[in-house]
């Protein structure tokens, strides 16, 4: 991981932008609450493929986005070339960074 605080900030901001509580993350199939707390506090443990997949799912990102952010990049754009969230927005929802 290139910068644990960058990863923490992006994950936390995205969760908040989606209006998700930690309980909602768990209920929606995301990582466990203790894992999310460690991630968002910048104390990210080494993550395995299933955790990246759960983050992508709950944060409505294309698969591979969480791993990209973990490596210091940004969430991946969808296959149509739109922003990383375009295919996962709910009606009336806007993308905010």
């Amino acid at each position: 991981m290139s910068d644990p605080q960058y990863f923490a900030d992006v994950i936390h901001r995205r969760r908040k932008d989606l209006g998700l509580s930690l309980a909602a993350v768990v209920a929606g199939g995301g990582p466990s609450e203790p894992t999310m707390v460690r991630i968002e506090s910048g104390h990210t443990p080494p993550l395995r493929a299933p955790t990246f997949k759960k983050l992508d799912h709950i944060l409505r990102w294309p698969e591979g986005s969480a791993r990209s952010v973990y490596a210091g990049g940004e969430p991946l754009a969808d296959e149509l070339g739109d922003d990383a969230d375009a295919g996962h927005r709910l009606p009336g929802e806007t993308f905010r960074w």
Side-chain angles (χ1 to χ4, degrees), residues 52-72:
F52 287 120
K53 192 170 191 131
K54 288 177 180 181
L55 285 167
D56 288 337
H57 167 76
I58 199 65
L59 298 176
R60 300 183 192 155
W61 279 340
E63 189 170 336
S65 292
R67 188 178 297 275
S68 174
V69 173
Y70 187 80

Side-chain angles (χ1 to χ4, degrees), residues 22-45:
L22 290 174
V25 168
V26 174
S32 70
E33 188 168 335
T35 297
M36 287 300 294
V37 168
R38 284 191 299 271
I39 288 170
E40 291 186 359
S41 69
H43 300 289
T44 306

Side-chain angles (χ1 to χ4, degrees), residues 1-96:
M1 174 178 12
S2 85
D3 180 357
Q5 195 56 54
Y6 170 75
F7 185 65
D9 292 345
V10 172
I11 298 299
H12 179 78
R13 183 172 54 237
R14 179 67 174 156
R15 180 175 67 81
K16 289 298 189 178
D17 284 350
L18 292 172
L20 297 171
S21 66
L22 290 174
V25 168
V26 174
S32 70
E33 188 168 335
T35 297
M36 287 300 294
V37 168
R38 284 191 299 271
I39 288 170
E40 291 186 359
S41 69
H43 300 289
T44 306
L47 299 180
R48 298 176 310 162
T51 304
F52 287 120
K53 192 170 191 131
K54 288 177 180 181
L55 285 167
D56 288 337
H57 167 76
I58 199 65
L59 298 176
R60 300 183 192 155
W61 279 340
E63 189 170 336
S65 292
R67 188 178 297 275
S68 174
V69 173
Y70 187 80
E74 298 202 10
L76 303 176
D78 70 14
E79 295 164 1
L80 300 175
D82 296 330
D83 65 54
D85 189 49
H88 303 281
R89 273 192 212 126
L90 299 174
E93 194 177 39
T94 58
F95 184 72
R96 297 182 312 250

